[in-house]
Amino acid sequence: MKIAIIRFPGTNNEHELIRYVNTYSKHEPILITNNNYHQLDNMDRIIIAGGFSYGDYLRPGIIAAKSPIGKKIKELSLSSIPILGICNGFQILCETGILPGVLTKNLSTRFISKMINLKVQSKSPYFINSDQNNTLQLPIAHYEGNYYCSHETLLELKKKGQIAFQYSSPTGQISDEYNPNGSINSIAGIYNADKTVLGLMPHPERASDPLLGSSDGRIIIDTFLGDFHVN
Amino acid sequence: MNNQLYVGKAKTILATEDQNQVIVKFDDRITAGDGAKKADIGGKGFTNCRISVILFKILEKYQINTHLIEDIGDIMLKCHKLEILPIEVICRNISAGSFCRRYGVEEGRLFDEPLIEFFLKNDELHDPLLSEGSIISLKMATKIQLEILAAIALRVNTVLQNIFRQLNLELVDFKLEFGYNQNGSLLLGDEISPDSMRLWQLNQDGEKIIFDKDIFRKDLGDVLSGYNEVLQRLNNLEQPIIEVKPYSFKIDVFLKDGVIDAQGEVIKRAIQRLGFNNFEEIKTGKSFKINIDTINSEILMTLEKLAEELLANPLIETWNISLV
């Protein structure tokens, strides 16, 4: 498979992802930028890497969302090509309107970089489908990860099972105590209605080996790459 | 004539074969005091028509859209048919006329900045002054529409003031009328002549020579020779290059009420540490200044789209457009 890894000016997580795909899969990672984005038509998977696209000017993700790549991704999202947006990639997916809601400043007004626990709230064949993993441990690193949406949207997300991950205790309990950034309903990641698109604030690509503190990220990315098998 | 669409105090509007175009015919009638004082001055129509053409053409060079389509000579101009706004826009550089009567001040006071006033175009009511609030309450225009009218009038002022200074004349004040053509474009209408402005020549020795309708209003002499002098000087004008400021729109973006403003909360605590405790709430926001050369009919729609789709996220933010 061809795995598109999107780099905007200011993206800084593309190397981890390229290395990930080369190390843990037989697939071909292809770096996509403003210069070669027409190749997106021939991709099997798209990953929007984290970072600070366009310096986070205006609002995180907005300039990227309105760029030619952003428009192309929006078009492709309708054709059911699986798309994974990590951190800034999640912010971009929200600003394009592919995913509902928006990510605002952390309630603490601090940049937060730490390991957190997630409860798997809803599964998707493209992102997480194992019955064995109800909680994951992944790192977060963001200033604007406070997910917000209207009350109506939240009801809709719940009804359609679009809430993928919630911040939780190690055993999967949800409460404000475990919510690092003030996200509504402790939301850490959501799907589109078809569950072919996932946006999440935590970084699965930074949790690929026990040496890094956790290898739970592999459950998500290997599933996304079609390579995850329950041992 | 049966093709008369409208007979005004100093001009007659004639229909043409094209229903979107009219002929503006400049008459010799001159009136003052909302029509209370009247006279016919042979040649006045010609002079004012010629002055208006020259000034309209100059203004067009500075991206001020006027109703003039074609000068068909003598006392007639082919113009866009306009739905005229009932608001007269007055720009004043020096106190004179009704301003002095209204506020009891002497004529000739030089303002630091040009003053824009709005008046209701209604002779029966003697063209009363309109406050911005009453225009908005009466739904005659929105706040931003008024700001646009004022901004255009200020640009007209910059251009005309420069032009007349070349001719050794001081532009004291002037009146503009605006209207929309069939495409919805906002155009400067009516005329620009000594009937609608005050022009003084201020000599070194303090002598003031008047070249406008005040000659007629105040019986100061031969009004036509004053007007003709203005035309003659305009005919000999060497056009200067005038610097005009771009129109500067401002779009403010704020978080909606009910959305937690984390930065605002931190700033509020800092303010409290300074000893000010009675601030209920601090809201942070963003401000964008957008400079453009010309105002067309789509500008507001374009800016609204820009605000809605790019500058603000309508889910959590509100926006407001103004002209600075």
Side-chain angles (χ1 to χ4, degrees), chain A residues 43 96 108 127 148 152 178 192 198 230:
Chain A
M43 297 292 141
T96 56
S108 61
F127 301 100
Y148 176 85
E152 294 73 30
Y178 304 110
N192 66 342
L198 168 68
V230 182

Side-chain angles (χ1 to χ4, degrees), chain B residues 27 47 58 67 81 129 146 151 216 249-250 252 275 285 310 314:
Chain B
D27 299 326
T47 304
I58 292 172
H67 66 155
K81 187 175 181 183
L129 180 73
L146 278 186
F216 174 73
F249 285 91
K250 188 161 71 85
D252 291 310
L310 184 72

Side-chain angles (χ1 to χ4, degrees), chain B residues 90-100 105-117 157 161 165 169-174 197-202 208-209 212 214:
Chain B
I90 307 288
C91 179
R92 302 180 187 277
N93 296 302
I94 299 172
S95 68
S98 69
F99 181 88
C100 294
V105 294
E106 76 290 357
E107 279 209 338
R109 192 185 288 195
L110 182 66
F111 298 143
D112 291 342
E113 297 284 334
L115 169 71
I116 299 290
E117 291 181 326
N157 186 51
Q161 210 175 24
R165 281 199 181 140
L169 292 169
E170 221 25 69
L171 180 63
V172 177
D173 53 29
F174 59 92
M197 60 173 59
R198 284 192 177 85
L199 289 168
W200 294 350
Q201 182 177 314
L202 298 170
K208 178 174 92 183
I209 307 173
D212 55 70
D214 275 349

Side-chain angles (χ1 to χ4, degrees), chain B residues 212-263:
Chain B
D212 55 70
K213 200 156 91 175
D214 275 349
I215 303 172
F216 174 73
R217 285 194 195 97
K218 300 177 177 176
D219 295 316
L220 299 176
D222 179 6
V223 65
L224 188 61
S225 65
Y227 285 23
N228 280 337
E229 175 67 21
V230 174
L231 176 57
Q232 202 188 336
R233 290 189 196 185
L234 273 172
N235 279 329
N236 296 324
L237 171 75
E238 265 188 54
Q239 280 199 27
I241 294 162
I242 301 163
E243 286 274 334
V244 290
K245 281 190 291 183
Y247 297 107
S248 198
F249 285 91
K250 188 161 71 85
I251 300 182
D252 291 310
V253 175
F254 280 95
L255 285 173
K256 281 181 179 170
D257 287 342
V259 177
I260 293 169
D261 183 349
Q263 284 191 109

Side-chain angles (χ1 to χ4, degrees), chain A:
Chain A
M1 288 202 299
K2 286 184 176 169
I3 316 298
I5 293 163
I6 311 285
R7 178 178 73 195
F8 293 100
T11 296
N12 60 15
N13 277 203
E14 73 278 23
H15 295 293
E16 287 98 320
L17 284 160
I18 291 168
R19 196 180 171 123
Y20 185 107
V21 175
N22 282 329
T23 307
Y24 298 109
S25 82
K26 294 191 169 64
H27 304 302
E28 183 188 358
I30 295 170
L31 187 67
I32 297 289
T33 69
N34 275 319
N35 299 323
N36 66 348
Y37 71 94
H38 294 292
Q39 290 185 36
L40 277 173
D41 282 320
N42 307 315
M43 297 292 141
D44 300 293
R45 296 284 187 274
I46 297 172
I47 306 178
I48 312 174
F52 301 87
S53 59
Y54 296 94
D56 274 356
Y57 291 176
L58 195 52
R59 289 189 305 282
I62 177 66
I63 312 267
K66 301 293 178 187
S67 72
I69 301 182
K71 287 178 182 163
K72 185 79 198 163
I73 291 175
K74 178 147 194 185
E75 185 189 310
L76 290 169
S77 73
L78 303 174
S79 70
S80 303
I81 176 169
I83 302 171
L84 172 62
I86 301 167
C87 196
N88 188 224
F90 184 17
Q91 294 165 337
I92 292 167
L93 287 170
C94 286
E95 285 290 357
T96 56
I98 296 170
L99 295 177
V102 61
L103 292 137
T104 65
K105 287 185 179 60
N106 296 342
L107 209 52
S108 61
T109 63
R110 291 191 178 92
F111 188 96
I112 305 168
S113 177
K114 65 174 183 182
M115 197 66 93
I116 48 86
N117 295 288
L118 293 176
K119 182 181 184 199
V120 180
Q121 185 55 246
S122 171
K123 296 178 198 292
S124 153
Y126 294 103
F127 301 100
I128 186 154
N129 56 13
S130 160
D131 283 333
Q132 297 182 333
N133 303 96
N134 292 319
T135 58
L136 304 174
Q137 212 180 29
L138 295 178
I140 55 168
H142 60 244
Y143 178 55
E144 304 192 56
N146 179 353
Y147 182 79
Y148 176 85
C149 65
S150 69
H151 182 65
E152 294 73 30
T153 302
L154 184 60
L155 290 178
E156 185 91 359
L157 289 175
K158 284 182 179 170
K159 200 173 103 188
K160 293 188 175 166
Q162 286 177 250
I163 300 172
F165 304 108
Q166 285 172 293
Y167 300 108
S168 74
S169 72
T171 56
Q173 281 171 309
I174 314 281
S175 83
D176 285 348
E177 192 186 336
Y178 304 110
N179 184 345
N181 52 28
S183 288
I184 192 167
N185 209 42
S186 293
I187 286 174
I190 57 168
Y191 302 117
N192 66 342
D194 294 339
K195 298 193 181 181
T196 54
V197 178
L198 168 68
L200 78 169
M201 288 313 296
H203 285 272
E205 81 283 13
R206 295 184 191 172
S208 58
D209 189 288
L211 274 176
L212 297 170
S214 167
S215 55
D216 287 354
R218 292 199 58 184
I219 297 167
I220 297 171
I221 299 182
D222 288 355
T223 306
F224 183 65
L225 298 177
D227 297 336
F228 185 76
H229 303 288
V230 182
N231 295 321

